[in-house]
Amino acid sequence: MAISHTIRLSPFQAPTVWTLENGDVVERKGSRVRRFPLTQLNRVTRAGRGATLHFHRRRLTIPAFSYGEHLRPEDHTASFQAFMDGVAGLAPGSRVGPPTANGEAVLWIMGMMAVGAIAVLLAAGLAGAWLLGVALACRLVFVAILGAAVLPWLYRKPSAKRG
């Protein structure tokens, strides 16, 4: 029997079902089907009550909570845990773990820069210096963009040294 995990990502959409079939993670949402081969799985990041599976060029986020009746959250941790155990069993070479400390630091810096850009823009707007506010906010947003460009390199596996 295939291992599966079913949740409702949105109260207005069909339930999303993830199954493990023939070495693939298969995502079904209504009539749409996507396949992710486990041979291409690079890393699994588990944070909070969910996980993100990183493939070569794609990413798949699987939460453990679902929308229930009257928009109340339902906990599907048992099926989520069984599904993630199945993924770990079929793809033993992938790294499973929380986000790295450097990755979290860069994400926090990016978030604080974005909040700072909004604050500078609002403060300059209240003072009547819109052009100065836009110029300063653009510099802060540029630093956040640089942080986003650095993120993929923080999660790379160290390569063997050539000698």
Side-chain angles (χ1 to χ4, degrees):
M1 181 175 174
I3 301 172
S4 68
H5 174 58
T6 304
I7 64 165
R8 187 176 292 273
L9 294 173
S10 171
F12 304 111
Q13 293 180 350
T16 304
V17 179
W18 291 279
T19 56
L20 292 174
E21 298 175 0
N22 300 327
D24 292 347
V25 176
V26 180
E27 178 187 56
R28 288 185 178 87
K29 185 187 299 182
S31 62
R32 186 175 138 208
V33 176
R34 295 192 312 169
R35 291 187 170 275
F36 298 88
L38 286 174
T39 56
Q40 296 179 358
L41 183 65
N42 293 333
R43 184 171 42 92
V44 177
T45 304
R46 295 189 66 172
R49 293 194 174 111
T52 304
L53 282 65
H54 299 268
F55 295 90
H56 283 300
R57 294 185 183 202
R58 299 189 290 175
R59 190 176 348 178
L60 178 65
T61 303
I62 303 172
F65 276 86
S66 175
Y67 281 101
E69 287 186 29
H70 308 292
L71 301 179
R72 292 197 176 123
E74 290 181 353
D75 189 9
H76 293 272
T77 305
S79 67
F80 172 75
Q81 188 63 37
F83 182 78
M84 292 310 296
D85 290 343
V87 168
L90 290 175
S94 64
R95 296 183 341 189
V96 177
T100 63
N102 292 337
E104 280 192 23
V106 169
L107 289 174
W108 272 101
I109 290 169
M110 288 171 54
M112 297 308 262
M113 287 292 185
V115 169
I118 292 170
V120 165
L121 192 59
L122 290 176
L126 290 175
W130 281 105
L131 291 178
L132 178 64
V134 168
L136 292 174
C138 286
R139 285 165 174 76
L140 289 172
V141 169
F142 179 71
V143 172
I145 291 171
L146 286 178
V150 166
L151 278 177
W153 278 275
L154 292 177
Y155 294 115
R156 284 184 134 176
K157 294 179 185 177
S159 61
K161 296 197 178 200
R162 296 179 184 160

